[in-house]
Amino acid sequence: MTATPRTTLGKVRAHQTQNEGLIFEKSSPGKRAYKLPPLDVPDVDPAALLGGAYRPEPGQLPEVSEIEVIRHFTRLSTWNYAIDLGMYPLGSCTMKYNPRVNEFVSRIEGLAEAHPYRPESLAQGSLEIVELLQRCLIEITGMDAITLQPAAGAHGEFTGILLVRAYHQSRGNPRKKVLIPDSAHGTNPATAAICGYEVQNIKSNPEGGIDVAELERIVDEDTAALMLTNPSTIGVFESEIHRIADILHAKGALLYMDGANMNALVGKTRPGDFGVDVMHLNLHKTFSTPHGGGGPGSGPVACKAILEPFLPTPVLVRKPAPATTTPTTTTPGAPGPSHLGTGETTQLGWSFDRPQTVGRVRAFYGNYGMFIRALAYILANGPDGLRQTTEDAVLNANYIRAGLQDLYELPYKTASMHEVVFSDKRQAARGIKTGDIAKRLIDYGFHPYTVSFPMIVSGALMIEPTESESLEELDLFIAAMRSIAAEVESNPDLVKSAPHSTRVSRLDEVTAARKPILRWKPTA
Ligand SMILES: *Cc1c(COP(=O)(O)O)cnc(C)c1O
């Protein structure tokens, strides 16, 4: 295989747009992006109207024309890598393609412009979307109840462990500690700590799973829960999961599953069926809603019936429909009202009557626009399509594993699920680290994989292609990684000093984080 770096395009782009300066540098006094007609009403004095709230000096904003604004921000946008540009193999993050049908549906006027304070009787269509998504996610996870409120995975963890705490508290004792494997995502121990628990680490076994004998030894009446990622961050399915659940339940402890890796399970197996009591989903990972800057995220929490009384309020319920709510007019394009007044005796609505609730965790009902996108994705694929998605994600990860394992060290030989974790052991012997290889990958037109995580692998290269990638794209990626492995042998300095195709090469990441320069000062 020969690598075909996409640098030709990259270089042209670099030439045209990579030297874009600050928008303040383009500013010249009096320039405007618009022109308004002269006032045809009496002028007012804003200072008199607004009093102390009026700022006499205008803020120091750049003064530019419309095309300057457009070009500036469009050029900046080309500095970013995106899933719409190419493969984004950032392990653990499931950077899959966001299908345009999701965007289309979420922009339908009646959905996009529905107001959260609209009376329930006029919001039945919007609420049906919430209800149907909840039913789909409950079916997919095999759980009994769900809240869609949390705004991200970490927020879901927080909500889930609050449920655990409220459950134990209701039985007289919140308990003291939460067990977390050494391979866990950093948000897991952070969540446990912020919910008032001590974190106790559990070592992984040589297959990358939980050391069950060790677990059996340390679970006691002070254990509130185990937080387990399955498949683990090594990309390995926890085959002892039933026994793990039994060990916990025997001591009255609960099993929390970090569901960030559900892209390996959807349609194949259900956490509710293998003993999980509570879990979160990342709609922005598994269910194809936009990720990171394209967010916001959404981290629903699904649980078993024993935890349901503690769910955040409000909870979606069916209530008797008040006789007086039949609307006489309907808003064009607004979902819902059309079927009211046809003798329906119940309607969907929010219930706050939950004496044991942990309380609200998010304004309104969560990031509603993400619910529409996730539901569109689920319905567009259907059960068979979702299962196929899972199989393709696992197949793609294993294709990359097979294509690279002769050149990169594979610390865990256990079967890979949706991601594969190599280490830089062989390259490090020549002074090249995982971070160097990742930077060089940028020159080949790919977003880097996840670097140095999980922590139980020294010099980790964590690669998650997702089901989105075609065979051609996977081959291109493998070719790039193989080419870099060859460069490590023949020209290590080239790798060590990468990237060479970007606006700036290596940033001082520590100083950038510790001493950020956030304010532009005009030079006289
Ligand atoms: C992404 C991730 C999280 C956190 O989810 P966010 O939505 O980023 O808050 C937690 N655990 C694992 C294993 C993850 O991959």
Side-chain angles (χ1 to χ4, degrees):
M1 271 181 285
T2 52
T4 323
R6 287 188 215 133
T7 42
T8 320
L9 176 63
K11 272 178 190 146
V12 173
R13 206 194 299 142
H15 188 68
Q16 286 176 343
T17 67
Q18 298 292 296
N19 292 322
E20 183 70 5
L22 298 175
I23 193 163
F24 291 93
E25 293 163 4
K26 295 185 196 304
S27 178
S28 56
K31 259 200 193 178
R32 291 285 179 274
Y34 58 87
K35 195 171 175 194
L36 298 178
L39 273 185
D40 58 359
V41 291
D43 210 349
V44 293
D45 174 11
L49 262 184
L50 296 171
Y54 181 70
R55 182 161 76 177
E57 289 298 319
Q60 282 196 6
L61 296 176
E63 297 179 75
V64 287
S65 69
E66 179 171 325
I67 194 170
E68 284 169 327
V69 176
I70 296 290
R71 283 195 182 147
H72 176 71
F73 287 105
T74 304
R75 284 174 186 159
L76 293 191
S77 77
T78 68
W79 296 4
N80 266 338
Y81 194 86
I83 188 66
D84 289 351
L85 283 172
M87 181 171 163
Y88 208 127
L90 197 64
S92 206
C93 298
T94 314
M95 304 299 286
K96 62 169 77 178
Y97 174 65
N98 313 137
R100 290 304 184 267
V101 67
N102 299 358
E103 298 306 315
F104 170 77
V105 176
S106 69
R107 280 166 174 70
I108 292 173
E109 194 188 351
L111 296 175
E113 296 186 3
H115 196 282
Y117 283 137
R118 200 158 53 148
E120 284 171 2
S121 62
L122 297 180
Q124 290 300 296
S126 301
L127 295 179
E128 272 175 30
I129 286 176
V130 174
E131 192 201 30
L132 184 55
L133 178 62
Q134 290 189 352
R135 281 194 359 234
C136 289
L137 296 179
I138 284 173
E139 174 65 28
I140 287 168
T141 55
M143 307 298 277
D144 299 323
I146 194 165
T147 174
L148 303 184
Q149 267 187 44
H155 195 194
E157 290 174 35
F158 171 68
T159 307
I161 296 297
L162 282 185
L163 300 183
V164 168
R165 192 172 185 98
Y167 164 82
H168 287 305
Q169 187 98 55
S170 76
R171 296 158 60 97
N173 174 9
R175 302 193 168 200
K176 292 205 178 71
K177 64 183 184 189
V178 167
L179 309 179
I180 300 182
D182 52 8
S183 59
H185 196 267
T187 49
N188 291 186
T191 292
I194 218 166
C195 291
Y197 285 114
E198 255 166 55
V199 174
Q200 186 169 352
N201 257 287
I202 312 182
K203 277 219 221 27
S204 300
N205 62 24
E207 287 76 48
I210 284 217
D211 185 333
V212 178
E214 162 100 345
L215 179 74
E216 201 147 24
R217 232 188 34 249
I218 61 181
V219 178
D220 58 20
E221 313 286 331
D222 274 338
T223 309
L226 165 71
M227 292 183 85
L228 184 71
T229 308
N230 193 21
S232 74
T233 53
I234 299 289
V236 170
F237 187 79
E238 191 66 67
S239 52
E240 302 266 18
I241 188 71
H242 273 291
R243 254 193 85 203
I244 291 171
D246 289 346
I247 291 169
L248 291 161
H249 293 154
K251 293 279 163 71
L254 299 180
L255 177 54
Y256 182 97
M257 190 179 113
D258 180 328
N261 292 344
M262 275 299 283
N263 214 40
L265 304 187
V266 174
K268 304 295 284 187
T269 182
R270 308 193 312 164
D273 298 339
F274 56 64
V276 169
D277 298 298
V278 50
M279 64 178 294
H280 76 262
L281 294 162
N282 303 60
L283 298 189
H284 46 286
K285 293 181 179 171
T286 315
F287 296 95
S288 86
T289 71
H291 208 135
S298 183
V301 171
C303 65
K304 289 283 172 65
I306 50 162
L307 294 173
E308 206 214 334
F310 311 103
L311 283 176
T313 48
V315 174
L316 190 66
V317 293
R318 279 213 168 265
K319 345 173 155 171
T324 53
T325 55
T326 307
T328 49
T329 57
T330 56
T331 316
S338 59
H339 69 272
L340 286 180
T342 55
E344 294 224 17
T345 52
T346 64
Q347 69 176 26
L348 289 167
W350 299 108
S351 167
F352 290 85
D353 183 20
R354 312 280 293 189
Q356 290 185 286
T357 178
V358 298
R360 187 188 268 291
V361 297
R362 185 79 173 86
F364 297 110
Y365 322 111
N367 287 328
Y368 184 81
M370 298 304 127
F371 307 162
I372 304 172
R373 289 170 174 84
L375 184 60
Y377 171 80
I378 290 169
L379 297 181
N381 280 290
D384 293 340
L386 290 176
R387 187 175 305 114
Q388 178 81 52
T389 293
T390 302
E391 289 170 359
D392 288 350
V394 173
L395 180 64
N396 280 359
N398 281 281
Y399 187 77
I400 288 176
R401 171 174 164 154
L404 294 178
Q405 62 185 357
D406 60 324
L407 295 180
Y408 293 90
E409 185 78 13
L410 195 62
Y412 291 90
K413 310 281 189 281
T414 328
S416 292
M417 298 287 287
H418 63 303
E419 59 198 356
V420 55
V421 180
F422 294 102
S423 94
D424 64 9
K425 194 167 165 200
R426 287 186 222 174
Q427 291 73 27
R430 304 195 64 100
I432 300 296
K433 300 284 179 52
T434 175
D436 301 318
I437 300 165
K439 298 282 189 202
R440 183 63 179 143
L441 200 49
I442 297 171
D443 289 333
Y444 284 83
F446 292 95
H447 191 281
Y449 49 78
T450 292
V451 168
S452 307
F453 177 79
M455 311 247 273
I456 56 170
V457 173
S458 155
L461 292 71
M462 188 194 213
I463 302 171
E464 179 181 13
T466 84
E467 72 280 5
S468 303
E469 303 311 329
S470 64
L471 186 59
E472 292 75 15
E473 189 77 8
L474 294 174
D475 280 338
L476 210 54
F477 177 78
I478 290 170
M481 289 295 290
R482 295 189 71 85
S483 173
I484 296 170
E487 287 169 356
V488 170
E489 302 300 322
S490 65
N491 192 356
D493 286 346
L494 182 69
V495 181
K496 193 99 206 142
S497 54
H500 305 283
S501 60
T502 49
R503 174 181 154 84
V504 289
S505 187
R506 299 237 178 167
L507 298 172
D508 180 344
E509 289 160 7
V510 176
T511 305
R514 297 280 156 83
K515 293 188 182 144
I517 301 168
L518 300 174
R519 198 175 282 275
W520 177 78
K521 287 211 189 67
T523 42

